[in-house]
Amino acid sequence: MILLLTYLLSGMAIAAAKPLDKRLDNGLGKTPALGWNSWNAGQCNFATAQRALQAADLFISLGLKDLGYTYVNIDDCWSTKSRNSSGYLVPDPQKFPNGIKAVSDQIHAKGLKFGLYGDRGTQTCAGYPGSLNNEEKDAKTLASWEVDYWKYDNCHTTNENSHTEYEKMRDALANSGYKVFYSLCNWGRDNVWTWGGKVGNSWRITDDNFNSWNYVATIAAKGASIAQYGGPGGFNDWDMMQISNGKLSAAEERAHMGLWAIGKSPILLGMDLTKISQSSLAIVKNKGLIDINQDALGKPATTFRPSGAPAPSSKLYPYWAGPLSDGVVVGLVAADNAVTLSVNFTDVPGLGAGTFSWTEMFSGKTGSGTSVSAQLSLHDMAVFRVKKV
Ligand code: GAL
């Protein structure tokens, strides 16, 4: 009897542990996703076919597509407030007059990909139908629409610290017959970075990047502390960009882009692309930074402590480095005040004694030697790509 009970219990433990062992092996997200999302640009008002198609056209005319920006993602508020009589999600006929498939077809015809948003609970955060207990139905619907990216939110649940329903949707997507990038949006709850790689292609690590320097700095500091969890197929998602949304200085926009790029976060632009300023456009089109973000090694940079520098705390720390397939990236950020920051290569993980050549990504300056230094205004950043001479 006791033996039987032990056997049954161990069987249950194996069954309970099993879903986490199964990776979503869809071959996607080998490097962080690059694209645009409607939410920061205009919340519910931007969840329309017209905005999606406009963004796709602007990816091409602004030269973003050529740099690798691919995903055009519509966030919350795209559906009607209730399912149809057969229990299926229905696109809002005002916002998507020709349905979703027509939009994804047009976006695919431009060589881009299309994404949508849902929620693992009973409703999305804005009160549209969630997928709880409809996972298979919804995954099949997405497949029939050829949706390439599915962001899955965490509102209206009985337990926001649970991963069960994220696994249910993973399995439903895996069986749907169409390959979809699976983006977990549980705001860093439940230590998602420890299991996200077995469930999705990216996972949000914090609450939203609401539009201020403080959020940018706090999210980046968090990203540094869990950098080791990101890699090809599954990356820490630092949340959508707030560049060109009116609250960050030019220096802060550079640091926002620089930190997200070296931290190997997805870069999902969040501005109204019809209104992007020239200076913001130059920042998000920085090819050197995008190349670093998309480096095949897929290893997020994190902070390091040069000799003589104050110890890191939970706040944004100025000194960053990470490996690239052909060298090392060094980031210097003026976290607290205008400052000149310098590092000797002997202090940088992955470098050491000897002479190295470097290129700085914002100024294009190049040089070689045993150290780098940058004179930075408040919250500005310099990013050096460093190689052995
Ligand atoms: C939040 C999510 C945001 C956005 C919003 C939509 O939970 O973190 O990125 O998707 O919901 O309602």
Side-chain angles (χ1 to χ4, degrees):
M1 180 64 188
I2 291 180
L3 261 182
L4 180 68
L5 203 65
T6 322
Y7 175 77
L8 283 175
L9 283 175
S10 67
M12 277 162 67
I14 290 169
K18 211 170 171 202
L20 264 186
D21 296 336
K22 212 171 95 188
R23 209 197 142 84
L24 174 68
D25 200 8
N26 57 10
L28 301 174
K30 295 282 185 225
T31 59
L34 295 176
W36 174 89
N37 174 297
S38 55
W39 188 251
N40 288 348
Q43 287 80 44
C44 289
N45 292 338
F46 267 53
T48 66
Q50 188 251 331
R51 288 296 185 179
L53 294 168
Q54 181 180 61
D57 285 338
L58 285 160
F59 271 27
I60 294 165
S61 60
L62 295 173
L64 293 164
K65 181 189 171 202
D66 286 344
L67 287 160
Y69 287 94
T70 303
Y71 288 100
V72 175
N73 293 347
I74 292 296
D75 209 272
D76 207 349
C77 313
W78 58 268
S79 74
T80 51
K81 283 270 168 113
S82 39
R83 291 170 179 272
N84 69 15
S85 55
S86 318
Y88 288 92
L89 292 170
V90 182
D92 181 323
Q94 242 83 59
K95 295 173 179 165
F96 289 86
N98 302 314
I100 299 286
K101 180 69 164 49
V103 174
S104 92
D105 282 350
Q106 287 178 78
I107 289 180
H108 292 155
K110 297 178 203 290
L112 298 168
K113 292 182 188 292
F114 176 67
L116 273 183
Y117 159 104
D119 189 286
R120 74 172 177 92
T122 52
Q123 285 179 18
T124 72
C125 297
Y128 294 81
S131 291
L132 183 67
N133 298 327
N134 285 293
E135 288 86 356
E136 296 203 353
K137 207 170 234 180
D138 293 352
K140 289 262 185 255
T141 304
L142 296 173
S144 74
W145 292 339
E146 301 192 1
V147 170
D148 306 291
Y149 185 113
W150 180 236
K151 171 175 170 180
Y152 208 40
D153 213 342
N154 203 36
C155 276
H156 297 283
T157 65
T158 48
N159 178 4
E160 70 171 34
N161 280 307
S162 157
H163 53 246
T164 320
E165 280 116 23
Y166 280 101
E167 292 158 16
K168 263 194 174 175
M169 183 51 94
R170 169 200 59 195
D171 295 340
L173 294 172
N175 293 330
S176 74
Y178 191 79
K179 280 199 173 153
V180 53
F181 184 109
Y182 186 27
S183 151
L184 316 180
C185 178
N186 77 338
W187 321 307
R189 304 288 196 274
D190 196 17
N191 292 325
V192 59
W193 42 88
T194 62
W195 52 269
K198 290 169 178 150
V199 178
N201 299 112
S202 66
W203 46 90
R204 283 273 302 279
I205 62 165
T206 61
D207 289 327
D208 290 14
N209 181 17
F210 292 112
N211 196 3
S212 78
W213 169 253
N214 212 21
Y215 285 102
V216 170
T218 306
I219 294 170
K222 178 73 196 177
S225 73
I226 52 173
Q228 72 272 23
Y229 293 102
F235 288 97
N236 288 319
D237 177 352
W238 296 16
D239 198 12
M240 302 165 303
M241 309 305 281
Q242 290 287 10
I243 289 175
S244 201
N245 281 341
K247 291 282 168 62
L248 302 178
S249 68
E252 290 167 346
E253 291 195 345
R254 280 191 286 276
H256 186 357
M257 182 72 186
L259 287 162
W260 264 237
I262 71 172
K264 302 285 189 284
S265 170
I267 297 177
L268 297 172
L269 304 178
M271 73 289 275
D272 176 347
L273 284 167
T274 63
K275 300 201 173 124
I276 190 169
S277 70
Q278 282 310 308
S279 72
S280 298
L281 186 62
I283 291 169
V284 303
K285 285 182 69 177
N286 187 305
K287 180 161 166 35
L289 286 179
I290 290 170
D291 287 348
I292 289 169
N293 180 255
Q294 298 293 303
D295 183 78
L297 205 57
K299 280 230 181 268
T302 186
T303 51
F304 71 96
R305 184 182 183 184
S307 45
S313 67
S314 58
K315 284 178 49 202
L316 179 62
Y317 192 66
Y319 304 96
W320 291 68
L324 297 174
S325 32
D326 64 350
V328 165
V329 60
V330 175
L332 300 175
V333 53
D336 299 312
N337 42 276
V339 64
T340 297
L341 296 170
S342 310
V343 283
N344 293 319
F345 292 142
T346 47
D347 282 337
V348 177
L351 295 178
T355 304
F356 296 86
S357 66
W358 52 264
T359 307
E360 201 287 308
M361 296 298 132
F362 290 109
S363 61
K365 273 193 204 148
T366 58
S368 70
T370 56
S371 66
V372 277
S373 127
Q375 194 188 341
L376 298 167
S377 63
L378 177 68
H379 300 160
D380 209 345
M381 184 170 190
V383 177
F384 299 90
R385 192 167 185 141
V386 185
K387 286 183 202 170
K388 188 96 194 152
V389 173

